[in-house]
Amino acid sequence: RGLCEALEITTGGRGSSAKYLAFTDAGFTALGVEPNHRINASNFRHSFWQDRIVKWAAPIGKAELERLIQNKHVDVAVTTERGIIAIEVELTSAYTKQNIEKDLEVGCAKVIPACPDGKVLDEVRAIVSSLEESVQGKVKACLLTELTRNEPGKWLSVEG
C-alpha cells in the first residue's frame, strides 16, 4: 500500500480522462531506486501535455520539448516558416507572466499559454490583459483540451 498513486488527467477526448499510476517515494524505495522528485503528479501532468502538444503540432512545423533558446527553456517550441511559436503548459498561473516575457525576449513570435481548466485560464487571461498592448497581441491563452482538439493550423499561425 502507498507504493504508487493514481493520476487522472482530463484529456477532453472520448471518455474525457486518462488514468495513470506514478510511484511514490515509498514505491521507489521498495524498488531499490532513488526517488525521482521530478516525477510527481504535477510534473507528470506537465510532461503528459508537453508530449501530447508535440505530437499534435508536428504536422505544422518542427515541434520540440523544452527547447533551449538563449539559455531559456520553452515548454514546447514549434518552428514554422514565420517564426517560433512557444506553447507553455500553465498548470497554475504562478509563472505565466515570466514565461510570456521570457519567450518573447528570446524571439518567439507568439506565445500560447495552455491551461488545464477554466480557473487557471481566467487567471492567465487576467495576467495577459495586464501586459502592454504590443505584448497582448502576441499571446493567445486557451485550454489544453481546446488546443489539442482543433487542427494545429488554427493555433499555429503567427498572426492568429
Side-chain angles (χ1 to χ4, degrees):
R1 292 197 181 278
L3 301 179
C4 63
E5 64 179 314
L7 303 175
E8 188 167 353
I9 299 174
T10 302
T11 60
R14 285 186 64 180
S16 98
S17 67
K19 294 181 181 174
Y20 299 90
L21 294 176
F23 288 112
T24 61
D25 284 354
F28 281 113
T29 301
L31 291 170
V33 175
E34 186 72 29
N36 184 343
H37 295 285
R38 291 195 51 176
I39 306 175
N40 61 30
S42 178
N43 289 335
F44 182 86
R45 285 183 179 90
H46 192 265
S47 296
F48 171 88
W49 282 110
Q50 283 179 306
D51 183 62
R52 190 171 193 139
I53 292 166
V54 165
K55 290 175 183 165
W56 166 83
I60 296 295
K62 181 180 178 185
E64 299 172 86
L65 281 174
E66 293 293 340
R67 180 165 172 196
L68 187 63
I69 307 172
Q70 298 176 22
N71 290 329
K72 312 243 178 181
H73 284 95
V74 175
D75 278 351
V76 177
V78 183
T79 304
T80 69
E81 291 178 4
R82 295 178 161 239
I84 298 171
I85 298 170
I87 303 173
E88 295 289 349
V89 177
E90 301 289 0
L91 298 181
T92 73
S93 62
Y95 297 102
T96 299
K97 185 173 189 277
Q98 294 92 320
N99 284 338
I100 291 168
E101 290 170 345
K102 165 202 41 122
D103 293 345
L104 294 174
E105 178 185 310
V106 300
C108 295
K110 180 178 180 179
V111 181
I112 302 173
C115 309
D117 56 48
K119 178 184 177 291
V120 176
L121 180 59
D122 289 344
E123 293 169 358
V124 167
R125 285 183 172 156
I127 291 166
V128 171
S129 69
S130 74
L131 301 172
E132 293 180 25
E133 274 189 47
S134 61
V135 171
Q136 289 179 32
K138 298 176 182 178
V139 180
K140 186 171 185 179
C142 65
L143 292 172
L144 285 157
T145 53
E146 179 186 12
L147 179 72
T148 57
R149 265 198 315 242
N150 288 287
E151 290 295 317
K154 175 183 178 193
W155 291 95
L156 300 180
S157 68
V158 173
E159 296 82 23

Short mmCIF file of all heavy atoms in Angstrom, two decimals, residues 69-136:
data_model
loop_
_atom_site.label_atom_id
_atom_site.label_comp_id
_atom_site.label_asym_id
_atom_site.label_seq_id
_atom_site.Cartn_x
_atom_site.Cartn_y
_atom_site.Cartn_z
N ILE A 69 16.58 28.16 -25.87
CA ILE A 69 16.82 29.30 -26.74
C ILE A 69 17.48 30.38 -25.88
O ILE A 69 16.88 30.83 -24.90
CB ILE A 69 15.52 29.86 -27.36
CG1 ILE A 69 14.73 28.75 -28.07
CG2 ILE A 69 15.82 31.01 -28.30
CD1 ILE A 69 13.35 29.19 -28.54
N GLN A 70 18.69 30.75 -26.22
CA GLN A 70 19.44 31.76 -25.46
C GLN A 70 19.42 31.46 -23.95
O GLN A 70 19.12 32.32 -23.14
CB GLN A 70 18.87 33.15 -25.74
CG GLN A 70 18.97 33.58 -27.18
CD GLN A 70 18.31 34.93 -27.42
OE1 GLN A 70 18.13 35.72 -26.52
NE2 GLN A 70 17.94 35.17 -28.66
N ASN A 71 19.72 30.22 -23.62
CA ASN A 71 19.78 29.75 -22.22
C ASN A 71 18.44 29.82 -21.48
O ASN A 71 18.41 29.87 -20.26
CB ASN A 71 20.85 30.48 -21.43
CG ASN A 71 22.24 30.08 -21.87
OD1 ASN A 71 22.45 28.95 -22.29
ND2 ASN A 71 23.17 31.01 -21.79
N LYS A 72 17.33 29.83 -22.20
CA LYS A 72 16.00 29.83 -21.58
C LYS A 72 15.20 28.69 -22.21
O LYS A 72 15.27 28.46 -23.41
CB LYS A 72 15.28 31.15 -21.82
CG LYS A 72 16.13 32.36 -21.50
CD LYS A 72 15.59 33.16 -20.40
CE LYS A 72 16.56 34.31 -20.16
NZ LYS A 72 16.25 35.18 -19.16
N HIS A 73 14.43 27.98 -21.38
CA HIS A 73 13.63 26.86 -21.87
C HIS A 73 12.22 27.28 -22.23
O HIS A 73 11.59 28.05 -21.51
CB HIS A 73 13.55 25.76 -20.81
CG HIS A 73 14.81 24.98 -20.70
ND1 HIS A 73 15.78 25.27 -19.78
CD2 HIS A 73 15.26 23.91 -21.39
CE1 HIS A 73 16.78 24.42 -19.91
NE2 HIS A 73 16.49 23.59 -20.89
N VAL A 74 11.75 26.74 -23.35
CA VAL A 74 10.36 26.90 -23.78
C VAL A 74 9.73 25.52 -23.68
O VAL A 74 10.30 24.55 -24.18
CB VAL A 74 10.31 27.43 -25.24
CG1 VAL A 74 8.89 27.48 -25.74
CG2 VAL A 74 10.99 28.79 -25.35
N ASP A 75 8.57 25.41 -23.03
CA ASP A 75 7.93 24.10 -22.85
C ASP A 75 7.86 23.34 -24.16
O ASP A 75 8.36 22.23 -24.28
CB ASP A 75 6.53 24.23 -22.27
CG ASP A 75 6.52 24.40 -20.76
OD1 ASP A 75 7.59 24.26 -20.12
OD2 ASP A 75 5.44 24.66 -20.21
N VAL A 76 7.18 23.93 -25.14
CA VAL A 76 7.12 23.36 -26.49
C VAL A 76 7.36 24.51 -27.47
O VAL A 76 6.66 25.51 -27.43
CB VAL A 76 5.76 22.70 -26.80
CG1 VAL A 76 5.72 22.18 -28.23
CG2 VAL A 76 5.46 21.57 -25.81
N ALA A 77 8.36 24.36 -28.30
CA ALA A 77 8.66 25.37 -29.32
C ALA A 77 8.34 24.76 -30.68
O ALA A 77 8.83 23.68 -31.01
CB ALA A 77 10.12 25.78 -29.25
N VAL A 78 7.51 25.44 -31.43
CA VAL A 78 7.14 24.99 -32.77
C VAL A 78 7.73 25.97 -33.77
O VAL A 78 7.39 27.15 -33.78
CB VAL A 78 5.61 24.90 -32.95
CG1 VAL A 78 5.27 24.35 -34.33
CG2 VAL A 78 4.99 24.04 -31.85
N THR A 79 8.64 25.48 -34.59
CA THR A 79 9.28 26.32 -35.59
C THR A 79 8.48 26.24 -36.88
O THR A 79 8.30 25.16 -37.45
CB THR A 79 10.73 25.86 -35.84
OG1 THR A 79 11.43 25.88 -34.59
CG2 THR A 79 11.43 26.78 -36.82
N THR A 80 7.98 27.37 -37.32
CA THR A 80 7.21 27.45 -38.56
C THR A 80 7.97 28.37 -39.51
O THR A 80 8.98 28.97 -39.14
CB THR A 80 5.80 28.04 -38.30
OG1 THR A 80 5.93 29.41 -37.94
CG2 THR A 80 5.07 27.27 -37.21
N GLU A 81 7.46 28.50 -40.73
CA GLU A 81 8.10 29.38 -41.72
C GLU A 81 8.13 30.83 -41.25
O GLU A 81 8.99 31.60 -41.64
CB GLU A 81 7.37 29.28 -43.05
CG GLU A 81 7.56 27.95 -43.74
CD GLU A 81 6.78 27.87 -45.04
OE1 GLU A 81 6.16 28.87 -45.45
OE2 GLU A 81 6.81 26.79 -45.64
N ARG A 82 7.19 31.21 -40.40
CA ARG A 82 7.07 32.60 -39.98
C ARG A 82 7.66 32.88 -38.60
O ARG A 82 7.54 33.99 -38.11
CB ARG A 82 5.61 33.02 -40.00
CG ARG A 82 5.08 33.01 -41.41
CD ARG A 82 3.63 33.38 -41.43
NE ARG A 82 3.28 33.78 -42.76
CZ ARG A 82 2.80 34.96 -43.07
NH1 ARG A 82 2.62 35.85 -42.15
NH2 ARG A 82 2.50 35.24 -44.32
N GLY A 83 8.23 31.87 -37.96
CA GLY A 83 8.85 32.09 -36.66
C GLY A 83 8.55 30.99 -35.67
O GLY A 83 7.87 30.01 -35.99
N ILE A 84 9.04 31.17 -34.47
CA ILE A 84 8.87 30.18 -33.41
C ILE A 84 7.64 30.55 -32.59
O ILE A 84 7.47 31.69 -32.16
CB ILE A 84 10.10 30.13 -32.49
CG1 ILE A 84 11.33 29.70 -33.29
CG2 ILE A 84 9.86 29.19 -31.31
CD1 ILE A 84 12.63 29.84 -32.52
N ILE A 85 6.80 29.56 -32.40
CA ILE A 85 5.63 29.71 -31.53
C ILE A 85 5.91 28.93 -30.25
O ILE A 85 6.23 27.74 -30.29
CB ILE A 85 4.35 29.21 -32.21
CG1 ILE A 85 4.10 30.04 -33.47
CG2 ILE A 85 3.17 29.27 -31.25
CD1 ILE A 85 3.01 29.51 -34.36
N ALA A 86 5.83 29.62 -29.12
CA ALA A 86 6.05 28.99 -27.82
C ALA A 86 4.71 28.57 -27.24
O ALA A 86 3.76 29.35 -27.22
CB ALA A 86 6.73 29.97 -26.87
N ILE A 87 4.64 27.32 -26.79
CA ILE A 87 3.45 26.85 -26.09
C ILE A 87 3.89 26.50 -24.68
O ILE A 87 4.76 25.65 -24.48
CB ILE A 87 2.81 25.64 -26.78
CG1 ILE A 87 2.47 25.98 -28.24
CG2 ILE A 87 1.57 25.19 -26.01
CD1 ILE A 87 1.99 24.81 -29.06
N GLU A 88 3.33 27.20 -23.71
CA GLU A 88 3.66 26.98 -22.30
C GLU A 88 2.50 26.26 -21.62
O GLU A 88 1.36 26.72 -21.67
CB GLU A 88 3.93 28.32 -21.59
CG GLU A 88 5.15 29.05 -22.10
CD GLU A 88 6.47 28.39 -21.72
OE1 GLU A 88 6.48 27.45 -20.88
OE2 GLU A 88 7.51 28.83 -22.26
N VAL A 89 2.79 25.12 -21.03
CA VAL A 89 1.79 24.38 -20.27
C VAL A 89 1.70 25.04 -18.90
O VAL A 89 2.63 24.95 -18.10
CB VAL A 89 2.17 22.89 -20.14
CG1 VAL A 89 1.17 22.14 -19.28
CG2 VAL A 89 2.29 22.25 -21.53
N GLU A 90 0.61 25.73 -18.65
CA GLU A 90 0.44 26.50 -17.42
C GLU A 90 -0.55 25.78 -16.50
O GLU A 90 -1.74 26.05 -16.51
CB GLU A 90 -0.07 27.91 -17.74
CG GLU A 90 0.83 28.72 -18.63
CD GLU A 90 2.13 29.18 -17.97
OE1 GLU A 90 2.36 28.88 -16.79
OE2 GLU A 90 2.91 29.84 -18.66
N LEU A 91 -0.07 24.82 -15.70
CA LEU A 91 -0.95 24.10 -14.77
C LEU A 91 -1.44 25.01 -13.66
O LEU A 91 -2.49 24.79 -13.07
CB LEU A 91 -0.23 22.88 -14.20
CG LEU A 91 0.18 21.82 -15.23
CD1 LEU A 91 0.86 20.65 -14.55
CD2 LEU A 91 -1.01 21.36 -16.06
N THR A 92 -0.68 26.07 -13.37
CA THR A 92 -1.09 27.16 -12.49
C THR A 92 -0.66 28.45 -13.19
O THR A 92 0.08 28.41 -14.17
CB THR A 92 -0.42 27.10 -11.10
OG1 THR A 92 0.95 27.48 -11.24
CG2 THR A 92 -0.52 25.72 -10.47
N SER A 93 -1.11 29.56 -12.66
CA SER A 93 -0.73 30.84 -13.27
C SER A 93 0.51 31.45 -12.61
O SER A 93 0.89 32.57 -12.96
CB SER A 93 -1.91 31.81 -13.19
OG SER A 93 -2.24 32.06 -11.83
N ALA A 94 1.15 30.72 -11.73
CA ALA A 94 2.25 31.26 -10.93
C ALA A 94 3.39 31.85 -11.75
O ALA A 94 3.98 32.85 -11.36
CB ALA A 94 2.79 30.19 -9.98
N TYR A 95 3.73 31.23 -12.88
CA TYR A 95 4.87 31.70 -13.67
C TYR A 95 4.47 32.19 -15.06
O TYR A 95 5.32 32.36 -15.93
CB TYR A 95 5.92 30.58 -13.79
CG TYR A 95 6.48 30.19 -12.45
CD1 TYR A 95 6.05 29.03 -11.81
CD2 TYR A 95 7.40 31.00 -11.81
CE1 TYR A 95 6.54 28.69 -10.57
CE2 TYR A 95 7.89 30.66 -10.56
CZ TYR A 95 7.45 29.50 -9.94
OH TYR A 95 7.93 29.17 -8.70
N THR A 96 3.21 32.43 -15.25
CA THR A 96 2.72 32.83 -16.58
C THR A 96 3.39 34.08 -17.09
O THR A 96 3.89 34.12 -18.22
CB THR A 96 1.19 33.01 -16.55
OG1 THR A 96 0.58 31.77 -16.20
CG2 THR A 96 0.67 33.47 -17.90
N LYS A 97 3.42 35.12 -16.29
CA LYS A 97 3.99 36.40 -16.74
C LYS A 97 5.46 36.22 -17.11
O LYS A 97 5.91 36.67 -18.17
CB LYS A 97 3.84 37.46 -15.66
CG LYS A 97 4.30 38.85 -16.09
CD LYS A 97 3.95 39.88 -15.02
CE LYS A 97 4.19 41.29 -15.49
NZ LYS A 97 5.55 41.74 -15.36
N GLN A 98 6.21 35.51 -16.26
CA GLN A 98 7.64 35.29 -16.53
C GLN A 98 7.81 34.46 -17.80
O GLN A 98 8.71 34.73 -18.60
CB GLN A 98 8.31 34.56 -15.35
CG GLN A 98 8.35 35.36 -14.08
CD GLN A 98 7.15 35.11 -13.17
OE1 GLN A 98 6.01 34.98 -13.61
NE2 GLN A 98 7.41 35.06 -11.88
N ASN A 99 6.97 33.45 -18.00
CA ASN A 99 7.09 32.62 -19.20
C ASN A 99 6.82 33.42 -20.47
O ASN A 99 7.55 33.31 -21.45
CB ASN A 99 6.14 31.42 -19.13
CG ASN A 99 6.62 30.34 -18.20
OD1 ASN A 99 7.81 30.24 -17.90
ND2 ASN A 99 5.70 29.52 -17.72
N ILE A 100 5.80 34.24 -20.44
CA ILE A 100 5.47 35.06 -21.62
C ILE A 100 6.63 36.02 -21.92
O ILE A 100 7.09 36.10 -23.07
CB ILE A 100 4.16 35.85 -21.40
CG1 ILE A 100 2.97 34.88 -21.37
CG2 ILE A 100 3.98 36.91 -22.48
CD1 ILE A 100 1.68 35.52 -20.87
N GLU A 101 7.09 36.73 -20.91
CA GLU A 101 8.17 37.69 -21.11
C GLU A 101 9.44 37.01 -21.60
O GLU A 101 10.10 37.50 -22.52
CB GLU A 101 8.43 38.45 -19.81
CG GLU A 101 7.30 39.41 -19.46
CD GLU A 101 7.40 40.01 -18.07
OE1 GLU A 101 8.18 39.50 -17.23
OE2 GLU A 101 6.68 41.00 -17.81
N LYS A 102 9.77 35.87 -21.02
CA LYS A 102 10.96 35.11 -21.42
C LYS A 102 10.85 34.66 -22.87
O LYS A 102 11.78 34.82 -23.65
CB LYS A 102 11.13 33.90 -20.49
CG LYS A 102 12.09 32.86 -21.01
CD LYS A 102 11.87 31.46 -20.43
CE LYS A 102 10.46 31.03 -20.27
NZ LYS A 102 10.06 29.82 -20.96
N ASP A 103 9.71 34.10 -23.24
CA ASP A 103 9.54 33.59 -24.60
C ASP A 103 9.64 34.70 -25.65
O ASP A 103 10.27 34.53 -26.69
CB ASP A 103 8.20 32.85 -24.73
CG ASP A 103 8.14 31.58 -23.90
OD1 ASP A 103 9.21 31.09 -23.45
OD2 ASP A 103 7.02 31.07 -23.69
N LEU A 104 9.04 35.84 -25.36
CA LEU A 104 9.12 36.95 -26.31
C LEU A 104 10.53 37.54 -26.33
O LEU A 104 11.03 37.91 -27.39
CB LEU A 104 8.07 38.00 -25.97
CG LEU A 104 6.61 37.55 -26.16
CD1 LEU A 104 5.64 38.61 -25.66
CD2 LEU A 104 6.32 37.18 -27.61
N GLU A 105 11.17 37.58 -25.17
CA GLU A 105 12.54 38.11 -25.08
C GLU A 105 13.52 37.31 -25.94
O GLU A 105 14.44 37.87 -26.53
CB GLU A 105 13.00 38.08 -23.61
CG GLU A 105 14.40 38.56 -23.37
CD GLU A 105 14.80 38.36 -21.91
OE1 GLU A 105 14.02 38.78 -21.03
OE2 GLU A 105 15.87 37.79 -21.67
N VAL A 106 13.32 35.98 -26.01
CA VAL A 106 14.25 35.15 -26.79
C VAL A 106 13.85 35.06 -28.26
O VAL A 106 14.47 34.32 -29.02
CB VAL A 106 14.43 33.74 -26.18
CG1 VAL A 106 14.98 33.84 -24.77
CG2 VAL A 106 13.14 32.93 -26.24
N GLY A 107 12.81 35.81 -28.66
CA GLY A 107 12.48 35.90 -30.08
C GLY A 107 11.30 35.10 -30.56
O GLY A 107 11.06 35.03 -31.77
N CYS A 108 10.54 34.49 -29.67
CA CYS A 108 9.35 33.77 -30.13
C CYS A 108 8.35 34.79 -30.68
O CYS A 108 8.16 35.87 -30.12
CB CYS A 108 8.72 32.97 -28.99
SG CYS A 108 9.79 31.63 -28.42
N ALA A 109 7.73 34.44 -31.79
CA ALA A 109 6.80 35.35 -32.44
C ALA A 109 5.43 35.36 -31.77
O ALA A 109 4.68 36.33 -31.87
CB ALA A 109 6.65 34.96 -33.91
N LYS A 110 5.10 34.27 -31.09
CA LYS A 110 3.79 34.12 -30.46
C LYS A 110 3.95 33.20 -29.26
O LYS A 110 4.79 32.31 -29.26
CB LYS A 110 2.81 33.52 -31.46
CG LYS A 110 1.41 33.30 -30.95
CD LYS A 110 0.53 32.76 -32.07
CE LYS A 110 -0.89 32.53 -31.63
NZ LYS A 110 -1.71 32.01 -32.75
N VAL A 111 3.12 33.44 -28.23
CA VAL A 111 3.12 32.59 -27.04
C VAL A 111 1.70 32.11 -26.79
O VAL A 111 0.76 32.92 -26.80
CB VAL A 111 3.64 33.34 -25.79
CG1 VAL A 111 3.64 32.42 -24.58
CG2 VAL A 111 5.03 33.91 -26.03
N ILE A 112 1.57 30.82 -26.58
CA ILE A 112 0.27 30.23 -26.26
C ILE A 112 0.37 29.62 -24.86
O ILE A 112 0.92 28.53 -24.70
CB ILE A 112 -0.14 29.15 -27.28
CG1 ILE A 112 -0.20 29.73 -28.68
CG2 ILE A 112 -1.48 28.52 -26.87
CD1 ILE A 112 -0.43 28.68 -29.77
N PRO A 113 -0.16 30.31 -23.84
CA PRO A 113 -0.26 29.68 -22.53
C PRO A 113 -1.48 28.75 -22.56
O PRO A 113 -2.60 29.19 -22.81
CB PRO A 113 -0.49 30.85 -21.56
CG PRO A 113 -0.25 32.09 -22.36
CD PRO A 113 -0.50 31.72 -23.79
N ALA A 114 -1.24 27.46 -22.35
CA ALA A 114 -2.31 26.47 -22.41
C ALA A 114 -2.60 25.96 -21.00
O ALA A 114 -1.69 25.53 -20.29
CB ALA A 114 -1.90 25.33 -23.34
N CYS A 115 -3.87 26.02 -20.60
CA CYS A 115 -4.27 25.81 -19.21
C CYS A 115 -5.16 24.58 -19.05
O CYS A 115 -5.91 24.23 -19.96
CB CYS A 115 -5.04 27.04 -18.73
SG CYS A 115 -4.19 28.59 -19.05
N PRO A 116 -5.13 23.95 -17.87
CA PRO A 116 -5.89 22.73 -17.66
C PRO A 116 -7.38 22.95 -17.41
O PRO A 116 -8.18 22.04 -17.63
CB PRO A 116 -5.23 22.10 -16.43
CG PRO A 116 -4.73 23.28 -15.66
CD PRO A 116 -4.30 24.27 -16.71
N ASP A 117 -7.75 24.13 -16.92
CA ASP A 117 -9.16 24.35 -16.57
C ASP A 117 -9.51 25.83 -16.65
O ASP A 117 -8.63 26.69 -16.83
CB ASP A 117 -9.46 23.79 -15.16
CG ASP A 117 -8.57 24.38 -14.09
OD1 ASP A 117 -8.40 25.62 -14.04
OD2 ASP A 117 -8.02 23.60 -13.28
N GLY A 118 -10.79 26.12 -16.50
CA GLY A 118 -11.27 27.49 -16.61
C GLY A 118 -10.73 28.43 -15.56
O GLY A 118 -10.51 29.61 -15.82
N LYS A 119 -10.51 27.93 -14.35
CA LYS A 119 -9.98 28.78 -13.27
C LYS A 119 -8.59 29.30 -13.63
O LYS A 119 -8.33 30.50 -13.55
CB LYS A 119 -9.92 27.99 -11.96
CG LYS A 119 -9.33 28.77 -10.80
CD LYS A 119 -9.23 27.88 -9.56
CE LYS A 119 -8.60 28.57 -8.39
NZ LYS A 119 -7.19 28.87 -8.54
N VAL A 120 -7.71 28.40 -14.04
CA VAL A 120 -6.35 28.82 -14.42
C VAL A 120 -6.41 29.70 -15.67
O VAL A 120 -5.71 30.71 -15.76
CB VAL A 120 -5.42 27.61 -14.62
CG1 VAL A 120 -4.05 28.04 -15.11
CG2 VAL A 120 -5.28 26.81 -13.33
N LEU A 121 -7.25 29.35 -16.62
CA LEU A 121 -7.38 30.15 -17.84
C LEU A 121 -7.81 31.58 -17.51
O LEU A 121 -7.25 32.53 -18.06
CB LEU A 121 -8.37 29.49 -18.81
CG LEU A 121 -8.61 30.23 -20.12
CD1 LEU A 121 -7.31 30.39 -20.92
CD2 LEU A 121 -9.66 29.48 -20.96
N ASP A 122 -8.79 31.74 -16.61
CA ASP A 122 -9.21 33.09 -16.22
C ASP A 122 -8.06 33.87 -15.59
O ASP A 122 -7.88 35.06 -15.86
CB ASP A 122 -10.39 33.03 -15.25
CG ASP A 122 -11.69 32.59 -15.92
OD1 ASP A 122 -11.76 32.61 -17.17
OD2 ASP A 122 -12.62 32.20 -15.18
N GLU A 123 -7.28 33.20 -14.72
CA GLU A 123 -6.13 33.85 -14.08
C GLU A 123 -5.10 34.26 -15.13
O GLU A 123 -4.55 35.37 -15.08
CB GLU A 123 -5.50 32.91 -13.06
CG GLU A 123 -6.39 32.63 -11.85
CD GLU A 123 -5.87 31.49 -10.98
OE1 GLU A 123 -4.83 30.87 -11.32
OE2 GLU A 123 -6.52 31.21 -9.95
N VAL A 124 -4.84 33.37 -16.08
CA VAL A 124 -3.86 33.66 -17.14
C VAL A 124 -4.34 34.81 -18.00
O VAL A 124 -3.57 35.72 -18.33
CB VAL A 124 -3.56 32.39 -17.97
CG1 VAL A 124 -2.81 32.73 -19.25
CG2 VAL A 124 -2.78 31.38 -17.13
N ARG A 125 -5.61 34.81 -18.37
CA ARG A 125 -6.15 35.91 -19.18
C ARG A 125 -6.06 37.24 -18.45
O ARG A 125 -5.79 38.27 -19.08
CB ARG A 125 -7.58 35.60 -19.60
CG ARG A 125 -7.64 34.56 -20.70
CD ARG A 125 -9.05 34.31 -21.16
NE ARG A 125 -9.05 33.45 -22.34
CZ ARG A 125 -10.07 32.68 -22.70
NH1 ARG A 125 -11.18 32.67 -21.98
NH2 ARG A 125 -9.98 31.93 -23.77
N ALA A 126 -6.25 37.23 -17.14
CA ALA A 126 -6.12 38.47 -16.36
C ALA A 126 -4.67 38.96 -16.40
O ALA A 126 -4.41 40.16 -16.54
CB ALA A 126 -6.57 38.24 -14.92
N ILE A 127 -3.73 38.03 -16.32
CA ILE A 127 -2.31 38.40 -16.40
C ILE A 127 -1.99 38.97 -17.77
O ILE A 127 -1.34 40.01 -17.89
CB ILE A 127 -1.42 37.18 -16.08
CG1 ILE A 127 -1.55 36.81 -14.60
CG2 ILE A 127 0.04 37.43 -16.47
CD1 ILE A 127 -1.00 35.45 -14.24
N VAL A 128 -2.47 38.31 -18.81
CA VAL A 128 -2.22 38.78 -20.18
C VAL A 128 -2.81 40.18 -20.38
O VAL A 128 -2.16 41.05 -20.97
CB VAL A 128 -2.78 37.79 -21.23
CG1 VAL A 128 -2.71 38.37 -22.63
CG2 VAL A 128 -2.03 36.46 -21.15
N SER A 129 -4.01 40.41 -19.86
CA SER A 129 -4.64 41.73 -20.05
C SER A 129 -3.91 42.83 -19.29
O SER A 129 -4.09 44.01 -19.61
CB SER A 129 -6.11 41.68 -19.65
OG SER A 129 -6.24 41.52 -18.26
N SER A 130 -3.06 42.47 -18.33
CA SER A 130 -2.29 43.48 -17.60
C SER A 130 -0.99 43.84 -18.31
O SER A 130 -0.31 44.78 -17.90
CB SER A 130 -1.97 42.97 -16.18
OG SER A 130 -0.96 41.98 -16.22
N LEU A 131 -0.66 43.12 -19.36
CA LEU A 131 0.59 43.37 -20.10
C LEU A 131 0.38 44.49 -21.13
O LEU A 131 -0.75 44.83 -21.47
CB LEU A 131 1.04 42.08 -20.80
CG LEU A 131 1.30 40.88 -19.89
CD1 LEU A 131 1.55 39.63 -20.71
CD2 LEU A 131 2.47 41.16 -18.96
N GLU A 132 1.48 45.02 -21.63
CA GLU A 132 1.40 46.05 -22.66
C GLU A 132 0.62 45.53 -23.87
O GLU A 132 0.69 44.35 -24.20
CB GLU A 132 2.80 46.46 -23.11
CG GLU A 132 3.60 47.17 -22.05
CD GLU A 132 4.98 47.55 -22.56
OE1 GLU A 132 5.17 47.71 -23.78
OE2 GLU A 132 5.88 47.70 -21.71
N GLU A 133 -0.09 46.43 -24.55
CA GLU A 133 -0.90 46.03 -25.71
C GLU A 133 -0.07 45.34 -26.78
O GLU A 133 -0.52 44.39 -27.41
CB GLU A 133 -1.62 47.25 -26.30
CG GLU A 133 -2.94 47.51 -25.63
CD GLU A 133 -3.74 48.56 -26.36
OE1 GLU A 133 -3.87 48.48 -27.61
OE2 GLU A 133 -4.25 49.46 -25.67
N SER A 134 1.15 45.80 -26.98
CA SER A 134 2.01 45.20 -28.00
C SER A 134 2.32 43.74 -27.65
O SER A 134 2.49 42.91 -28.54
CB SER A 134 3.30 45.98 -28.16
OG SER A 134 4.04 45.99 -26.95
N VAL A 135 2.37 43.42 -26.38
CA VAL A 135 2.61 42.04 -25.94
C VAL A 135 1.33 41.23 -26.03
O VAL A 135 1.33 40.08 -26.50
CB VAL A 135 3.17 42.02 -24.49
CG1 VAL A 135 3.23 40.61 -23.93
CG2 VAL A 135 4.54 42.68 -24.45
N GLN A 136 0.22 41.82 -25.62
CA GLN A 136 -1.06 41.11 -25.65
C GLN A 136 -1.37 40.55 -27.03
O GLN A 136 -1.91 39.45 -27.15
CB GLN A 136 -2.20 42.05 -25.23
CG GLN A 136 -2.19 42.42 -23.78
CD GLN A 136 -3.32 43.37 -23.44
OE1 GLN A 136 -4.40 43.32 -24.03
NE2 GLN A 136 -3.08 44.26 -22.48
#
